[in-house]
Amino acid sequence: MRTVISWTDRIPDSDGGKVAVNDLAFRPDGTQLIAAVGNRVLVYDAAVGDLVHSLKGHKDNVYCVGYSRDGKRFASGGADKTVIIWTTKAEGILKYQHSESIQCLAYNPVTQQLASATSSDFGLWSPEQKSVSKHKVASKVLCCSWTNDGHHVALGQLNGTVSIRSKTGDEKLTIKRASPVWTLSWNPSREEPFDILAVGCWDQTLSFYHLSGKPIGRDRTLGFDPCSLGYFSNGEYICIGGSDRKVSLWTKEGVRLTTIAEMEDWVWTVEKISW
């Protein structure tokens, strides 16, 4: 499989040095790409790479971004403990606070519900609510992902725990890993007979679980710390980026196929177009 670079953008820091791209998200129709870079949210034309907006609503580094399922809103969160919800016209229409830095966020794939998580809690917000419902966690949340039906959200934590929660925030079960769970994702295919969770752990493994918490097969050895993983092609393949400075392609069963990109530093985020 050959990959072709469509476009690149090198973003200089204010002092001319490198700046990390902490997160990426495509608009569901594939027309825009948003990036968490420094204290800004950058909005690109996904086809040609033109910078459409540079949003400066945050007072500190932005760690995470995500689009709603209908593409009419996107959200950002970061070190200033603030989540901002934006329109596609780049207007910040709502803010809410946590007591700690926002580590990750994800929109429910069925509703407008937004999950956001920190070192000490995670919150659930929806347009129907007047306030954010918050729930305590035992360890820093590093990543989160919703099931296809929007009924459950998985939280990956620094202490090696995967917490499976209902859409109201109740913990249903936990999965214990030996090291921090830095990345996870539910397979988006609706053709699978059951929900499958892929977990990237900093014991340098890739593992799979049923919604019940039952493991699927054995752990797959990666040989590097995974920082981001994402399904694409309707759940047939997985892309993984991490400490090996590469993006590698794997089957949905966890068989490595090839390297599709090599970078100059750790790969912290890998994102795909939904369609």
Side-chain angles (χ1 to χ4, degrees):
M1 178 180 288
R2 281 181 62 238
T3 57
V4 178
I5 297 174
S6 296
W7 55 269
T8 60
D9 186 23
R10 285 191 173 273
I11 306 149
D13 202 349
S14 55
D15 60 4
K18 292 182 179 180
V19 60
V21 179
N22 291 316
D23 200 12
L24 298 167
F26 278 101
R27 189 176 179 180
D29 65 3
T31 60
Q32 287 189 335
L33 174 71
I34 52 176
V37 182
N39 64 350
R40 296 177 293 162
V41 178
L42 304 183
V43 183
Y44 291 94
D45 181 314
V48 296
D50 290 343
L51 182 62
V52 181
H53 300 289
S54 177
L55 308 178
K56 300 179 180 179
H58 288 278
K59 298 177 181 179
D60 207 333
N61 286 336
V62 183
Y63 292 149
C64 46
V65 289
Y67 255 107
S68 64
R69 64 181 180 89
D70 60 6
K72 294 181 178 179
R73 295 174 176 173
F74 59 89
S76 58
D80 61 358
K81 308 175 186 178
T82 302
V83 173
I84 303 178
I85 296 173
W86 308 82
T87 69
T88 52
K89 295 181 180 179
E91 299 167 334
I93 56 172
L94 186 144
K95 291 183 179 182
Y96 67 82
Q97 300 287 134
H98 280 267
S99 58
E100 305 284 348
S101 299
I102 316 300
Q103 300 298 319
C104 62
L105 52 77
Y107 270 101
N108 188 307
V110 178
T111 69
Q112 294 292 329
Q113 189 177 30
L114 177 66
S116 53
T118 75
S119 298
S120 59
D121 67 2
F122 85 100
L124 293 168
W125 172 89
S126 66
E128 298 79 23
Q129 294 176 216
K130 292 183 178 180
S131 61
V132 182
S133 61
K134 295 179 180 177
H135 307 266
K136 291 293 183 183
V137 293
S139 179
K140 182 178 184 177
V141 180
L142 302 171
C143 51
C144 56
S145 178
W146 290 92
T147 51
N148 289 328
D149 59 11
H151 289 171
H152 297 87
V153 60
L155 309 176
Q157 297 178 260
L158 185 65
N159 67 355
T161 299
V162 177
S163 174
I164 308 294
R165 305 269 179 153
S166 71
K167 62 182 179 181
T168 58
D170 299 322
E171 188 170 73
K172 296 300 182 181
L173 62 97
T174 58
I175 299 165
K176 292 296 295 182
R177 300 293 307 174
S179 298
V181 176
W182 208 275
T183 181
L184 51 71
S185 179
W186 295 96
N187 188 317
S189 174
R190 297 185 182 276
E191 297 176 5
E192 296 290 342
F194 43 76
D195 292 301
I196 299 172
L197 180 66
V199 176
C201 182
W202 274 22
D203 59 4
Q204 301 197 344
T205 61
L206 171 67
S207 54
F208 299 91
Y209 294 89
H210 292 277
L211 180 58
S212 65
K214 181 181 178 181
I216 301 172
R218 58 178 178 79
D219 291 353
R220 284 69 167 173
T221 300
L222 296 174
F224 60 91
D225 292 325
C227 300
S228 179
L229 68 82
Y231 282 95
F232 78 105
S233 190
N234 195 33
E236 287 299 310
Y237 301 98
I238 302 172
C239 281
I240 305 176
S243 63
D244 63 346
R245 305 183 180 190
K246 298 176 182 178
V247 178
S248 50
L249 181 68
W250 300 67
T251 68
K252 65 180 180 180
E253 294 83 16
V255 177
R256 190 183 188 282
L257 297 176
T258 188
T259 296
I260 59 175
E262 296 191 29
M263 310 302 289
E264 297 176 358
D265 214 325
W266 287 33
V267 179
W268 289 103
T269 178
V270 176
E271 185 60 30
K272 85 292 184 187
I273 298 176
S274 299
W275 45 264

